[in-house]
């Protein structure tokens, strides 16, 4: 049996109230008595159930999610999952709020992080823009004992505590293998649509994609990246222009958002040629494009799992508890029209 506070009190020869004061580091205990209690804790191998203690005290965890403000279907879905988490707040003892910042704007993100340092929430989850100033701001908060989780896009090299998202290099490699195998012996050019190279998830997907294409499909040449800033209108303009200018394009890899604009451009050019298209994130628009064969495959990450994972990790870090890594691993799903959920 696990030792209890009653066992500690009996071993140290003190009251339960004294044990409680020592465990919660409250004053009013003589030094010699505190040493007796701490000795009993060590000898009995007592491990405190922090979660149960917080539940008994009615502790609430104020958490902040920082998301980019953009017309991005995946981010809308992420926001919806956070709203679901807010509805669970009473059961999970959380107080969650969301702050939106302009997409791909490091200065705006840094300003919000600096403001949160004064508010002192229990934890912060953010979709990171990979810039030195953002990394420095995150590191300052971690040094000041703020739990930090990066969400969807990581901030490698920072002191952040955890990343809740897929392995983006593996995602890019998977996209390349699918595209190359779907195209078979065809030769030609591949158009790549990204949001911005300022975010690490897009850079890592491109890195993985380019590596596999160079190693295994040398007859398929990758064109310069089109940066649509996750804006459907900009994405539509860039893709439509690329397809008009390059008759040799045989495939498209959309590694970010802006898929509504991509789909519109593809439908406009559908009479001209047959294209193989791989995109990210299952939304209402990409689902419809899978069904009507505009898109061939979707790589998806579970936004709900990412939000739940971020909350679990932030609460654990606030309590000084270990994170169960296997529970927090985010799976990469591959959807064709035949296996849509």
């Amino acid at each position: 049996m696990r030792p209890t506070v009653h066992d500690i009190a009996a071993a140290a020869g003190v009251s339960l109230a004294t044990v409680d004061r020592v465990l919660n580091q409250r004053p009013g205990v003589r030094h010699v008595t505190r040493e007796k209690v701490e000795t009993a804790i060590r000898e009995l191998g007592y491990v405190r159930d922090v979660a149960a203690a917080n539940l008994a005290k009615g502790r609430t965890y104020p958490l902040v999610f920082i998301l980019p403000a953009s017309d991005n279907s995946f981010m809308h879905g992420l926001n919806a999952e956070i709203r679901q988490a807010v509805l669970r707040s009473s059961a999970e003892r959380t107080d969650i709020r969301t702050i939106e910042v302009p997409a791909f704007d490091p200065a705006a993100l840094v300003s919000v992080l600096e403001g949160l340092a004064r508010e002192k929430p229990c934890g912060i989850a953010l979709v990171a823009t990979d810039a030195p100033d953002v990394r420095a701001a995150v590191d300052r908060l971690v040094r000041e004992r703020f739990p930090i989780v990066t969400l969807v896009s990581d901030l490698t090299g920072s002191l952040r505590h955890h990343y809740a998202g897929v392995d983006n290099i593996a995602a890019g490699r998977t996209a390349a293998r699918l595209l190359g195998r779907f195209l078979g012996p065809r030769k030609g050019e591949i158009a790549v649509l990204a949001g911005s190279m300022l975010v690490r998830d897009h850079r890592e997907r491109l890195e993985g994609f380019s590596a596999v294409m160079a190693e295994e499909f040398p007859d398929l040449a990758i064109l310069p990246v089109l940066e649509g800033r996750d804006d459907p209108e900009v994405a539509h303009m860039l893709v439509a222009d690329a397809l008009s200018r390059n008759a040799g394009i045989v495939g498209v890899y959309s590694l970010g958002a802006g898929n509504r604009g991509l789909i519109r451009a593809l439908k406009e050019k559908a009479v001209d040629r047959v294209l193989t298209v791989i995109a990210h994130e299952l939304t209402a628009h990409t689902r419809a494009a899978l069904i009507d064969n505009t898109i061939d495959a979707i790589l998806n990450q579970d936004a709900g799992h990412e939000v739940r994972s971020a909350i679990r990790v932030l609460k654990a870090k606030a309590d000084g508890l270990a994170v169960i890594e296997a529970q927090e691993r985010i799976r990469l799903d591959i959807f064709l029209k035949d296996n849509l959920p």
Side-chain angles (χ1 to χ4, degrees):
M1 289 180 58
R2 293 176 58 182
T4 67
V5 290
H6 294 274
D7 297 324
I8 297 170
V14 299
S15 68
L16 286 173
T18 299
V19 173
D20 181 72
R21 289 192 188 95
V22 173
L23 287 173
N24 290 290
Q25 300 181 336
R26 289 199 291 267
V29 182
R30 291 187 303 161
H31 178 71
V32 64
T33 303
R34 186 177 296 275
E35 284 191 338
K36 285 181 181 179
V37 173
E38 291 174 347
T39 298
I41 290 170
R42 287 194 301 273
E43 291 179 350
L44 291 170
Y46 174 80
V47 178
R48 189 183 184 200
D49 188 340
V50 178
N54 284 335
L55 180 61
K57 290 186 291 186
R59 180 183 182 184
T60 298
Y61 299 80
L63 306 176
V64 177
F65 282 77
I66 308 174
L67 305 182
S70 65
D71 189 11
N72 177 327
S73 296
F74 178 74
M75 287 302 163
H76 292 330
L78 196 65
N79 244 318
E81 293 294 344
I82 294 171
R83 289 195 294 273
Q84 288 299 311
V86 171
L87 296 178
R88 301 191 300 269
S89 288
S90 58
E92 297 180 350
R93 294 172 290 117
T94 55
D95 179 9
I96 297 171
R97 70 185 179 102
T98 301
I99 299 175
E100 291 192 338
V101 298
F104 315 121
D105 188 336
L109 182 52
V110 168
S111 177
V112 169
L113 289 169
E114 290 175 345
L116 290 175
R118 295 185 290 273
E119 294 183 25
K120 301 190 181 304
C122 275
I124 301 167
L126 70 149
V127 177
T129 299
D130 191 13
D133 289 350
V134 175
R135 191 175 295 105
V138 166
D139 288 352
R140 283 195 297 273
L141 287 170
V142 172
R143 291 190 183 100
E144 293 173 16
R145 301 187 181 280
F146 287 89
I148 304 284
V149 169
T150 51
L151 194 66
V152 181
S153 185
D154 200 6
L155 198 58
T156 305
S158 71
L159 298 177
R160 59 95 178 118
H161 294 95
H162 184 78
Y163 163 58
V166 298
D167 180 335
N168 284 297
I169 291 179
R173 291 182 66 87
T174 302
R177 197 168 305 283
L178 287 170
L179 188 57
R181 286 177 178 265
F182 285 173
L183 285 169
R186 292 183 69 187
K187 299 180 181 181
E189 297 170 325
I190 305 299
V192 176
L193 175 65
S196 170
M197 292 295 102
L198 284 174
V199 288
R200 181 169 288 273
D201 59 329
H202 291 194
R203 292 206 309 272
E204 288 183 341
R205 289 174 187 178
L206 180 62
E207 177 186 341
F209 183 82
S210 300
V212 170
M213 295 301 285
E215 293 164 7
E216 301 194 25
F217 307 103
D219 291 332
L220 298 171
I222 301 175
L223 294 173
V225 176
L226 308 172
E227 294 189 57
R229 301 189 68 80
D230 289 354
D231 183 316
E233 293 304 319
V234 175
H236 170 261
M237 177 188 68
L238 291 174
V239 174
D241 182 66
L243 292 176
S244 296
R245 290 173 178 272
N246 298 276
I249 292 176
V250 294
V252 178
Y253 174 39
S254 175
L255 57 79
N259 284 323
R260 279 176 288 159
L262 165 70
I263 292 165
R264 184 151 59 97
L266 292 172
K267 287 181 181 294
E268 290 169 357
K269 296 296 179 180
V271 295
D272 297 340
R273 72 189 89 170
V274 176
L275 297 171
T276 298
V277 182
I278 310 295
H280 278 263
E281 316 314 349
L282 186 64
T283 66
H285 298 93
T286 56
R287 174 187 289 271
L290 266 181
I291 292 170
D292 69 16
N293 298 315
T294 303
I295 291 177
D296 296 276
I298 293 291
L299 305 181
N300 187 64
Q301 55 190 316
D302 187 334
H305 188 183
E306 290 172 342
V307 169
R308 294 189 297 274
S309 176
I311 292 170
R312 282 193 298 266
V313 171
L314 290 174
K315 289 171 67 177
K317 292 298 180 183
D319 288 336
L321 300 176
V323 173
I324 304 171
E325 293 295 338
Q327 182 183 23
E328 310 310 338
R329 190 173 297 114
I330 308 299
R331 184 181 68 239
L332 179 69
D333 294 314
I334 302 172
F335 292 118
L336 309 178
K337 67 183 297 183
D338 310 285
N339 70 331
L340 282 170

